[in-house]
Amino acid sequence: MGSCLGFKREHRARAWEIRKRLGGGMRQSGILAAAGLYALDHNLSRICEDHANAKRFAELLSDHPAIRPSVPETNIVMLDLERDGDVADVERAAGIIRETLR
């Protein structure tokens, strides 16, 4: 279980504080272990497909002027956003719905 943060550099401390308050720092090892065991028992045969999908996703995003994706070695794609103003456009294009905490 993970969390994703998007923020301006100067808001990093506040973003981490909110993340922790909402439970983003919690680790429930039993639940995570159960999910991992299930994945190994039922989805291990698809791991190569997951890695290929991550690579394709990064390739598709690499043409966008506001995104610098990492070159994935697994099924995890990390993104660097180049310009603040483009974040909303990227989210809309990807179908991401964001709620703002106030």
Side-chain angles (χ1 to χ4, degrees), residues 17-38:
E17 178 185 340
I18 291 170
R19 175 186 161 270
K20 289 203 176 251
R21 284 184 183 185
L22 296 175
M26 293 176 59
R27 294 289 179 255
Q28 298 172 338
S29 58
I31 293 171
L32 291 174
L37 290 173
Y38 182 89

Side-chain angles (χ1 to χ4, degrees), residues 21-93:
R21 284 184 183 185
L22 296 175
M26 293 176 59
R27 294 289 179 255
Q28 298 172 338
S29 58
I31 293 171
L32 291 174
L37 290 173
Y38 182 89
L40 288 172
D41 289 342
H42 296 92
N43 297 312
L44 189 59
S45 61
R46 294 192 55 221
I47 194 75
C48 290
E49 182 182 345
D50 286 343
H51 291 191
N53 286 337
K55 183 177 180 183
R56 178 70 180 135
F57 181 59
E59 289 169 354
L60 289 170
L61 292 176
S62 67
D63 289 337
H64 196 288
I67 302 174
R68 254 191 354 213
S70 65
V71 177
E73 296 179 21
T74 63
N75 60 345
I76 298 171
V77 178
M78 295 179 15
L79 306 173
D80 286 327
L81 300 178
E82 296 294 320
R83 295 183 300 263
D84 291 335
D86 292 323
V87 174
D89 293 335
V90 172
E91 289 173 338
R92 277 191 294 279

